[in-house]
């Protein structure tokens, strides 16, 4: 079974977001997000959709137990299509760029 609150926390921390930042990006009051954790409550489906949108992922991606995505967003699809057009050198440069951005 998927621990929804733990998954939200992991996704938030992966992005270096505070609960406040998640609140701002999702449109859900911070007090509501905090209460999920205090009361060990699950967010409603509507709230979970807003959270997924803030994380730029589909509900299927968020809920999957697999390490692999079951569905990709249009932006991810575009990125993969463009990736295929790159040379090996360009792919390495792109990965280096992404790694430098995500490790800050």
């Amino acid at each position: 079974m998927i621990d929804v609150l733990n998954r939200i926390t992991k996704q938030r921390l992966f992005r270096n977001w505070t609960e406040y930042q998640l609140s701002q990006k999702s449109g859900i009051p911070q007090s509501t997000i905090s209460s999920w954790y205090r009361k060990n409550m699950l967010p409603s489906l509507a709230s979970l959709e807003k959270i997924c949108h803030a994380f730029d992922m589909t509900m299927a991606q968020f809920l999957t137990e697999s390490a692999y995505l079951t569905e990709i967003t249009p932006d991810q699809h575009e990125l993969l299509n463009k990736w295929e057009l790159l040379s090996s050198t360009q792919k390495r440069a792109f990965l280096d760029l992404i790694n430098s951005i995500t490790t800050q």
Side-chain angles (χ1 to χ4, degrees), residues 5 8 12 18-24 26-38 41 51:
L5 294 178
I8 291 171
R12 182 177 58 77
T18 63
E19 281 186 9
Y20 176 77
Q21 289 170 307
L22 177 58
S23 167
Q24 294 297 300
S26 67
I28 299 170
Q30 184 180 0
S31 59
T32 299
I33 295 171
S34 294
S35 72
W36 296 337
Y37 292 96
R38 279 194 322 276
M41 294 173 41
I51 295 288

Side-chain angles (χ1 to χ4, degrees), residues 52 55-62 64 67-84:
C52 289
F55 290 148
D56 195 28
M57 61 188 342
T58 65
M59 186 89 74
Q61 288 172 313
F62 181 84
T64 188
Y68 299 101
L69 302 177
T70 56
E71 184 178 323
I72 63 173
T73 66
D75 286 342
Q76 291 167 328
H77 183 70
E78 180 183 4
L79 183 64
L80 290 172
N81 285 337
K82 290 184 179 190
W83 172 265
E84 292 302 319

Side-chain angles (χ1 to χ4, degrees), residues 62-102:
F62 181 84
L63 295 173
T64 188
E65 291 190 48
S66 168
Y68 299 101
L69 302 177
T70 56
E71 184 178 323
I72 63 173
T73 66
D75 286 342
Q76 291 167 328
H77 183 70
E78 180 183 4
L79 183 64
L80 290 172
N81 285 337
K82 290 184 179 190
W83 172 265
E84 292 302 319
L85 301 175
L86 300 176
S87 69
S88 296
T89 303
Q90 290 170 322
K91 287 177 182 178
R92 173 55 29 214
F94 182 74
L95 287 175
D96 289 344
L97 173 65
I98 293 297
N99 286 331
S100 72
I101 293 169
T102 58

